[in-house]
Amino acid sequence: MRFSVVGNLAQAIVLLQAAHESAIHELTVGYVTGKLKDRVAESGLPLRLASSAEDVLVDAQTDVILVAASDAQESVYLARQASQVDCHVVVLPPKDVSTAFSYELHLLLDESRRGIIVLSGRWYVEPDNEVTNRRASVRQLALSLPIPGSHDASLDHVQLAAIDALCGCGFSYSQVTAIDVRAADDVLLSRTITLGASEVAEAKLPPATLTLTAGQTAEAPAGEIHVALFDGKQGTLRFLAPGNSCDSATGANGFSPTLPDRLTSALTSPEQCQTAMRQFSHSLELLAGIEKSLRRRRTVDVHSDAASERGVFKSQMTAIGCGVLTYVTLGMVVYLLIAQVADLPTWALQTARIIWIAPVVIFLLLQLLLPVARSRNSDQPPANG
């Protein structure tokens, strides 16, 4: 497929280099600014530069648009525009990424005829069939990374990518435990994050440990996820953290040339796009659990009941229903008291009854809107043209 890019996030260079080195993919046009523009110039990629983002969006030779905007609102806007011109979309997590960002993208995916993928941490892990096939025998996962020291990737970005990479090994964690070690001047020296599952969970999951340590360069080689098996054997999965450089020309990272192949395969599958978006949302919830764990100084449970139009509608209707029930009960008491102590004309009593029962009728009619509300985890994939 033919790739184009819009944005300023330097991490986009990983996919651009991989697409350039691929035998079946190519780069077309891009509107790049900031550090990404510097990276593109340094790498010498054959990317035709456009004068504006609109020029990239209307380019007829593009199949996949990489949105690499650092601002969440701009990222969602560009993703929507790219989807409307009938292109597949790959989105890099912006600097202010949040569950609201993933929710907006998920709604956009539900309406789109093309695939939308967030280029999260799991995509930077080299697949290993030997480890994947022995998932039931995994005893523990461990990943060590440096605390970022450059502006290319913040601490939250590294944590999100690492958590998503660990979850990408095939396990859905629901608990987070975070412990910080700080110097006397409150400088973060190290952070240990442990992912696990509740004791009452049906499936027991192997714990996953992420260790972040200061004093290392952020431009370190690709990291490794160490996989310990119950039979005593060890396995490794290569992982490229945000902020690391990618020398796909020399194959230094090994897995990078396969990245565009795996992305394009998922983009053409509506089911995989939906699954990937739900997984990314869950990783964001685990990321939010880190701050809760540090603040409460204990393990926190992460509830993956992500908000959706259907869920919000049900919650609102429940609250309104309680109010309507209270109103009807009190209204009936007031109506009976007034009817007994006052000699009102018939039309006044009929009007009072209408006022009393009207909210109930309106509330019941509103329930007809439930089938229209969109479900975040809908099993129905969007149409793919």
Side-chain angles (χ1 to χ4, degrees):
M1 287 189 177
R2 294 164 295 187
F3 285 78
S4 65
V5 59
V6 178
N8 60 348
L9 289 176
Q11 293 93 327
I13 196 67
V14 176
L15 178 56
L16 297 180
Q17 287 179 326
H20 172 56
E21 293 298 322
S22 173
I24 60 176
H25 304 289
E26 62 177 305
L27 301 179
T28 55
V29 62
Y31 175 68
V32 292
T33 58
K35 288 186 176 294
L36 179 56
K37 184 177 182 179
D38 297 336
R39 287 288 186 91
V40 170
E42 292 170 1
S43 61
L45 293 175
L47 185 68
R48 177 166 51 90
L49 298 181
S51 57
S52 66
E54 287 72 20
D55 292 341
V56 176
L57 295 172
V58 299
D59 187 82
Q61 297 181 346
T62 298
D63 299 312
V64 181
I65 297 180
L66 173 59
V67 176
S70 58
D71 179 74
Q73 290 186 350
E74 181 183 4
S75 182
V76 172
Y77 170 77
L78 291 173
R80 180 178 294 107
Q81 296 299 314
S83 178
Q84 289 176 353
V85 297
D86 209 28
C87 287
H88 297 296
V89 185
V90 177
V91 184
L92 278 177
K95 292 183 178 180
D96 53 345
V97 64
S98 64
T99 52
F101 170 78
S102 68
Y103 178 63
E104 290 292 335
L105 285 185
H106 209 137
L107 293 181
L108 181 59
L109 175 62
D110 292 340
E111 300 169 352
S112 176
R113 298 178 61 250
R114 297 293 180 181
I116 301 176
I117 290 288
V118 179
L119 191 56
S120 54
R122 68 185 63 231
W123 295 100
Y124 296 110
V125 178
E126 179 184 9
D128 189 321
N129 291 331
E130 182 178 354
V131 174
T132 303
N133 294 337
R134 302 190 63 183
R135 189 175 300 162
S137 301
V138 175
R139 178 172 56 87
Q140 186 176 12
L141 300 173
L143 173 61
S144 297
L145 293 173
I147 295 176
S150 69
H151 297 292
D152 287 356
S154 65
L155 179 59
D156 280 349
H157 261 70
V158 173
Q159 290 179 149
L160 174 60
I163 288 173
D164 195 68
L166 291 170
C167 293
C169 294
F171 305 105
S172 181
Y173 295 102
S174 59
Q175 287 188 337
V176 181
T177 306
I179 301 175
D180 276 357
V181 176
R182 296 183 177 272
D185 55 356
D186 202 38
V187 175
L188 181 63
L189 298 178
S190 68
R191 174 173 292 179
T192 303
I193 302 170
T194 303
L195 306 179
S198 173
E199 296 181 356
V200 298
E202 296 181 1
K204 301 301 180 181
L205 303 181
T209 302
L210 168 63
T211 304
L212 299 169
T213 308
Q216 303 180 38
T217 174
E219 294 293 335
E224 291 183 343
I225 299 176
H226 296 275
V227 183
L229 304 178
F230 280 108
D231 57 8
K233 295 183 178 180
Q234 299 283 337
T236 58
L237 296 170
R238 293 181 63 79
F239 167 67
L240 182 68
N244 293 19
S245 58
C246 174
D247 188 5
S248 58
T250 62
N253 294 304
F255 66 89
S256 54
T258 70
L259 179 59
D261 296 333
R262 290 184 282 122
L263 279 173
T264 53
S265 176
L267 286 169
T268 55
S269 171
E271 294 82 1
Q272 290 188 44
C273 288
Q274 291 284 345
T275 300
M277 196 66 73
R278 289 194 293 268
Q279 291 170 339
F280 175 67
S281 299
H282 183 63
S283 295
L284 284 173
E285 292 168 354
L286 291 173
L287 177 66
I290 294 176
E291 293 303 322
K292 292 181 182 179
S293 177
L294 291 172
R295 185 172 62 252
R296 300 176 184 177
R297 298 183 180 181
R298 62 176 177 83
T299 300
V300 297
D301 287 299
V302 176
H303 301 286
S304 58
D305 298 331
S308 65
E309 282 191 3
R310 187 179 295 271
V312 171
F313 180 84
K314 289 182 178 180
S315 300
Q316 292 176 340
M317 286 299 102
T318 300
I320 295 174
C322 293
V324 171
L325 181 61
T326 303
Y327 167 83
V328 170
T329 304
L330 294 178
M332 179 177 62
V333 174
V334 172
Y335 173 79
L336 293 177
L337 288 175
I338 293 177
Q340 289 294 326
V341 301
D343 187 15
L344 298 176
T346 304
W347 66 266
L349 294 177
Q350 291 178 344
T351 302
R353 285 196 293 267
I354 292 175
I355 296 175
W356 172 56
I357 203 64
V360 180
V361 176
I362 296 174
F363 175 76
L364 293 177
L365 291 176
L366 287 176
Q367 305 307 308
L368 299 177
L369 296 176
L370 180 59
V372 181
R374 289 171 291 191
S375 174
R376 168 116 183 204
N377 297 325
S378 175
D379 292 330
Q380 296 296 329
N384 188 34

